Amino acid sequence: MSESTPKQRIGVLTSGGDAPGMNAAIRAITLAADHYGLEVIAFSHGYEGLLEKTYTLLKPSDVQHILQYSGTIIKSARSPRFKEIESAQLAARNLAELDVSALIVIGGDGSFRGAHHLNQHWDGQIIGVPGTIDNDVYGTDATIGYSTAVAIAMDALDKIRDTADAMDRVFIVEVMGRNAGFIGLKSAMAAGAERMILPELQRDKPLTIDVIVKHIKRVEDVRGPGSYVMVLSEHQWPGGAVALSEQLEAEYRMPCRPCLLGHIQRGGPPTATDRVLASELGVYAVELVLAGANGVMTATRAGQLTTVPFIDTWSKKNLLPENLLRIQHEIFNPVKKSRQRHG
Ligand code: ADP
Ligand code: F6P
């Protein structure tokens, strides 16, 4: 390539709720692009950056030592106006003006809807990289950020257990994932929580307070007095953990405390799993650009890198693993020794 030949330019943006490991993905994309002689232009605040033309060029030196931090150095945002056709058209004009030939979108299924929307009005390539703590994206075994969120929730649950045990209390720990119970299921399992209330389990037959109280009493009956820790996915109880806790104390005289983990689940150092996943998927996204791919999300399935059409990422559902739900059901429902005799 001669000195004067302009480098092919690829765009990158992070969209939707930030997820631990997004920085590792940005780093991987920038370093891989540099390796292949491409230039990276980073749009800030998700799709808003495409509309406002707010961007910066990313060089390898800009992404040094960022993979150990959560958040995203190029900022993320939700952009409701991007759903309009005029926004996709404006973004397409801006991308053309900036000589961008391909765009890598790091985000969740909502962000891939945005990518698909843009694809209808722009002739460049778009590749997705799954980044959301919720793990609610079809077609990949894990999304970037999920492992870290589970580790944070598990750590918090372990700490809560110490104090709950010391005072024989019921604790309700509220975790993120309003539409998907992956964080709730995995952290509850990892921390040995006595109950979990997840969106998927609430849909057909929402729990009643009576069922919860009966279970708390049964666990005490079987195991003796002690702590009882419940993992509650956000938006799965009217008034959340605080209201449920107050109800248990006031109406059933159970010593109970709520604990809301909130956005703590999106911060701190990403786990090794998330850093490695983000690095793999980020580099793979650049390779896909070079291979001429378009309209697909990078994914990992059974240890293999693969792609998923954007449409599948939101039209198909990532289901909670049946085997884990079954195991949880057995663990959650202790039976009295007298009923366990066989033959
Ligand atoms: P996530 O990507 O984490 O699922 P959101 O659902 O909040 O997060 O979506 C992120 C952004 O993607 C939205 O703010 C919007 O800019 C864009 N987006 C989502 N759905 C659409 C859509 N149907 N059409 C165009 N853009 C969309
Ligand atoms: O989608 C990721 C997520 O962290 C969800 O788990 C949560 O419901 C939502 O984002 C919170 O959004 P915000 O950061 O806008 O409060």
Side-chain angles (χ1 to χ4, degrees), residues 15-17 47 77-80 82-83 107-111 113-114 117 132:
S15 164
Y47 291 115
R78 296 198 172 89
S79 170
F82 195 71
K83 292 182 181 171
D109 60 332
S111 300
R113 279 178 196 255
H117 175 60
T132 166

Side-chain angles (χ1 to χ4, degrees), residues 17 78 132-134 176-178 234 263 266:
R78 296 198 172 89
T132 166
I133 62 166
D134 294 346
M176 277 188 165
R178 67 183 76 184
E234 58 183 356
H263 293 79
R266 299 215 307 237

Side-chain angles (χ1 to χ4, degrees), residues 11-291:
V12 62
L13 59 84
T14 45
S15 164
D18 55 275
M22 279 185 167
N23 276 329
I26 295 165
R27 170 182 175 271
I29 290 164
T30 307
L31 297 183
D34 185 66
H35 176 80
Y36 289 114
L38 309 175
E39 193 170 60
V40 176
I41 176 167
F43 293 92
S44 71
H45 299 94
Y47 291 115
E48 280 297 302
L50 292 185
L51 302 178
E52 296 292 329
K53 274 176 107 177
T54 43
Y55 61 86
T56 177
L57 292 179
L58 282 184
K59 298 181 297 304
S61 57
D62 298 318
V63 297
Q64 275 191 96
H65 318 311
I66 63 166
L67 91 169
Q68 66 269 48
Y69 298 109
S70 290
T72 154
I73 60 162
I74 59 175
K75 311 273 184 179
S76 192
R78 296 198 172 89
S79 170
R81 66 175 170 146
F82 195 71
K83 292 182 181 171
E84 293 157 20
I85 288 174
E86 294 74 24
S87 292
Q89 290 167 338
L90 173 61
R93 282 199 301 279
N94 290 342
L95 285 163
E97 267 173 43
L98 291 165
D99 276 332
V100 177
S101 60
L103 179 68
I104 299 176
V105 172
I106 308 170
D109 60 332
S111 300
F112 302 143
R113 279 178 196 255
H116 180 71
H117 175 60
L118 174 59
N119 239 346
Q120 312 304 305
H121 303 275
W122 182 52
D123 57 8
Q125 300 162 254
I126 314 182
I127 305 294
V129 173
T132 166
I133 62 166
D134 294 346
N135 199 40
D136 58 344
V137 180
Y138 175 85
T140 185
D141 286 345
T143 56
I144 297 164
Y146 170 52
S147 156
T148 306
V150 168
I152 292 168
M154 181 191 73
D155 180 58
L157 286 162
D158 287 349
K159 287 171 177 155
I160 288 293
R161 177 69 73 183
D162 292 346
T163 172
D165 240 358
M167 299 189 70
D168 292 343
R169 278 175 168 161
V170 174
F171 261 87
I172 303 161
V173 180
E174 196 170 300
V175 299
M176 277 188 165
R178 67 183 76 184
N179 299 315
F182 287 93
I183 299 173
L185 169 62
K186 203 109 178 250
S187 63
M189 202 162 178
E194 277 76 17
R195 178 175 279 289
M196 53 190 194
I197 305 180
L198 314 176
E200 292 84 344
L201 305 180
Q202 287 292 85
R203 259 168 225 149
D204 293 341
K205 201 174 164 210
L207 274 181
T208 61
I209 189 92
D210 287 341
V211 170
I212 294 174
V213 168
K214 241 191 222 163
H215 188 251
I216 295 172
K217 287 185 176 156
R218 181 148 59 94
V219 169
E220 185 179 310
D221 204 23
V222 174
R223 295 189 195 156
S227 58
Y228 181 103
V229 175
M230 204 182 313
V231 174
L232 169 68
S233 295
E234 58 183 356
H235 300 281
Q236 298 310 310
W237 196 268
V242 174
L244 179 54
S245 166
E246 282 170 2
Q247 208 177 346
L248 287 172
E249 279 225 321
E251 293 173 27
Y252 298 89
R253 300 184 176 282
M254 290 185 161
C256 188
R257 294 288 185 273
C259 174
L260 278 61
L261 300 189
H263 293 79
I264 285 173
Q265 290 158 98
R266 299 215 307 237
T271 58
T273 300
D274 275 333
R275 296 182 200 195
V276 172
L277 177 65
S279 304
E280 276 186 289
L281 297 184
V283 170
Y284 186 41
V286 174
E287 290 169 356
L288 287 170
V289 167
L290 291 167

